[in-house]
Amino acid sequence: MTPEKTAGQLIAGRIPTEDAMLDYWRATDDGLRPKAETVAVLAALSAMPSALGMMRSFVRFIRETYPPEALPAAKSAVNIVGTGGGRSTFNISTTAAFVVAAAGGKVLKSGSSAYSSSVGSGDILNALGLARTASDEFTNAMLDDCGLAFAAPQRYAPLCKRLAIAAMPLPFKMIGRFVNALGPLICPYEMKAHVIGASSQRLFEQVHQIAGSLGIPAVVVHSNLGVDELLSVGTNRWVRAAETLPHRLIPGDLGLGRDSGLSDLAGGDLAENIAILTDILKGRGSRACTETVALNAGMALHAGGVVRTLAEGTWLALDCMADGAPYRTLERAQAFASAEAPRLAAMA
């Protein structure tokens, strides 16, 4: 099937085969498709319920054409990131990244500016002065020195940039929902594991199937309240990519979540979300926010092999936050980024 016919099927609301979509992404990456068609295809993909084959074709193309880079410091690192969408909360996975690093794990986190909420991980990191550079040398050095680093948007496959440029002047968060939801599966770096949060049950199942079929070392998590992270309130599900059936996680079984609700996890604007993050890292966060971060950090510590169980990781994270160690990790990361800033400017 030609790329023109594949695009026509999508625009008409029909689902092409996975192989046809692979050919379409290849032609788009080669710069052979017109801007207007690309915009129409992105809009169609974001509007229709995503089929597994269409989603997997995009991830397959990216991973086969631009294989993830294996940084020396990232062999034991974990990515912790959500698909976006769903109900809005404060920046849970970004906060958890500092806790994991403070507790002895390593985090190489991917993420972007706001998608489903007003503030995304990229917005938080920029405001905190944490440089995200396309230099693998800098990323490796920061990960080695601080226990955490952050993947720069420029480091993603060229196809992602091509799609974003084609969508302009429309905001990519509106027209590129299909791509944004798959962002966690196309992280530009190879690492020990990815903890990927899915915002819906359907997306939870699809991300699990894609990761399993493509051999991506992932743990997929989902809150039944419609959030792409584990929550200390309500029921959660999680599953390893190599497993068939998901596990059920009830926070009460770990002694968490008493007298709390989803409203206790709400975020706000950039300043409010930074204040929430800072309080949690200093050990002064609310119980609901602290316990939610501990669950997600605990899962990352478990996936990274630092602890044997999720429960063990959760309690290690809680102890770590009570000591204020994650805030010291943030300060160390800021100092590292600040010291490197002049060299980065000279390289630009």
Side-chain angles (χ1 to χ4, degrees):
M1 182 182 294
T2 66
E4 290 89 347
K5 289 184 178 179
T6 300
Q9 278 197 336
L10 285 168
I11 295 167
R14 298 193 297 271
I15 299 174
T17 66
E18 186 168 336
D19 286 341
M21 284 303 303
L22 274 171
D23 290 340
Y24 187 81
W25 295 126
R26 189 172 296 110
T28 303
D29 194 41
D30 289 339
L32 302 177
R33 305 314 310 150
K35 171 183 168 68
E37 179 190 279
T38 302
V39 172
V41 165
L42 283 173
L45 287 170
S46 296
M48 68 174 63
S50 295
L52 183 65
M54 288 197 303
M55 298 172 73
R56 186 166 50 208
S57 72
F58 186 77
V59 178
R60 272 183 62 193
F61 176 79
I62 296 292
R63 292 181 65 84
E64 291 172 4
T65 309
Y66 306 97
E69 185 72 25
L71 300 180
K75 291 180 180 178
S76 60
V78 174
N79 182 18
I80 176 168
V81 63
T83 59
R87 303 175 73 170
S88 179
T89 64
F90 73 98
N91 300 89
I92 295 169
S93 64
T94 304
T95 309
F98 294 99
V99 178
V100 174
K106 280 191 173 183
V107 178
L108 178 43
K109 179 170 168 43
S110 63
S112 62
S113 295
Y115 166 36
S116 60
S117 60
S118 60
V119 183
S121 64
D123 306 309
I124 291 281
L125 296 173
N126 288 336
L128 290 174
L130 293 173
R132 297 189 298 158
T133 171
S135 164
D136 290 344
E137 177 189 7
F138 173 84
T139 301
N140 187 74
M142 185 174 186
L143 183 59
D144 190 48
D145 185 271
C146 305
L148 80 165
F150 308 95
Q154 304 95 310
R155 189 58 183 77
Y156 280 80
L159 175 60
C160 298
K161 181 178 180 180
R162 186 179 293 278
L163 293 174
I165 291 174
M168 294 174 64
L170 296 173
F172 198 68
K173 64 182 285 187
M174 175 184 75
I175 198 171
R177 288 196 299 271
F178 173 86
V179 176
N180 284 333
L182 296 175
L185 291 166
I186 58 171
C187 178
Y189 297 110
E190 186 178 305
M191 57 193 90
K192 185 176 180 68
H194 302 263
V195 178
I196 301 175
S199 55
S200 69
Q201 179 65 32
R202 177 186 176 89
L203 193 53
F204 172 79
E205 294 168 356
Q206 290 172 326
V207 171
H208 173 217
Q209 291 179 66
I210 294 170
S213 63
L214 298 182
I216 300 172
V219 177
V220 189
V221 306
H222 167 62
S223 163
N224 287 6
L225 293 177
V227 177
D228 60 348
E229 277 116 356
L230 298 173
L231 300 186
S232 63
V233 298
T235 302
N236 306 279
R237 294 178 181 273
W238 65 275
V239 64
R240 299 180 185 88
E243 294 178 317
T244 302
L245 298 175
H247 305 267
R248 196 164 172 240
L249 170 62
I250 300 175
D253 292 344
L254 298 178
L256 307 178
R258 294 194 299 270
D259 303 320
S260 299
L262 185 58
S263 61
D264 296 313
L265 304 175
D269 61 19
L270 180 60
E272 291 171 314
N273 280 19
I274 289 178
I276 293 171
L277 176 146
T278 301
D279 283 345
I280 293 170
L281 299 187
K282 288 182 175 180
R284 304 172 186 168
S286 71
R287 177 172 180 168
C289 292
T290 299
E291 289 180 347
T292 289
V293 169
L295 274 177
N296 290 276
M299 181 60 80
L301 290 165
H302 178 39
V306 177
V307 296
R308 292 170 296 175
T309 66
L310 168 60
E312 185 181 345
T314 300
W315 290 109
L316 174 59
L318 285 169
D319 289 343
C320 190
M321 283 185 280
D323 180 60
Y327 188 74
R328 295 192 290 275
T329 297
L330 166 60
E331 290 181 314
R332 179 173 184 142
Q334 289 174 317
F336 183 91
S338 177
E340 286 292 302
R343 188 171 72 87
L344 292 175
M347 293 170 56

